[in-house]
Amino acid sequence: MADLTQDPGFWMERAAGASAGAALSLVYMLPRGTREAAARFGTGLIAGVIFGGPAGVWLAQRLGVTTALSPSEVMLTGAASVSVTAWWGLGLIERLARRWGREKG
């Protein structure tokens, strides 16, 4: 069973990483409107908070930098990478759905 600590720093690291990932994504793929921006930001934030820890550990192990990074850096990196991935995934799905909707309708 996972230990969901009550340490506020634990949750702040995840939220900060997820927010940074969503903000970084704005540079590369702008949303088409405020509704899309809010949906993608919220999804990136939630996904980064939930999956940031495991993703950070996986990335650190795959890159071979586990001994060079602190637990906070691993958490921030994982949360940001999950957030960026969620942001891009939703953007891609939204654009494909819009294109397929026009072709069939």
Side-chain angles (χ1 to χ4, degrees):
M1 189 75 145
D3 176 30
L4 297 177
T5 182
Q6 298 300 318
D7 179 25
F10 173 82
W11 294 105
M12 290 304 297
E13 290 167 356
R14 286 183 177 213
S19 297
L24 177 65
S25 296
L26 279 172
V27 175
Y28 294 106
M29 184 186 285
L30 289 173
R32 296 196 190 272
T34 55
R35 183 176 178 194
E36 181 183 349
R40 287 169 57 191
F41 183 82
T43 301
L45 185 63
I46 291 167
V49 168
I50 293 171
F51 300 110
V57 170
W58 182 80
L59 281 170
Q61 288 174 347
R62 295 288 281 173
L63 296 173
V65 294
T66 52
T67 57
L69 298 177
S70 71
S72 293
E73 291 170 324
V74 170
M75 185 71 70
L76 285 168
T77 302
S81 64
V82 169
S83 181
V84 167
T85 303
W87 180 275
W88 278 76
L90 279 177
L92 178 65
I93 290 168
E94 187 270 334
R95 282 170 173 75
L96 288 174
R98 185 178 300 151
R99 182 174 296 157
W100 287 342
R102 274 187 273 154
E103 290 175 4
K104 295 185 185 217

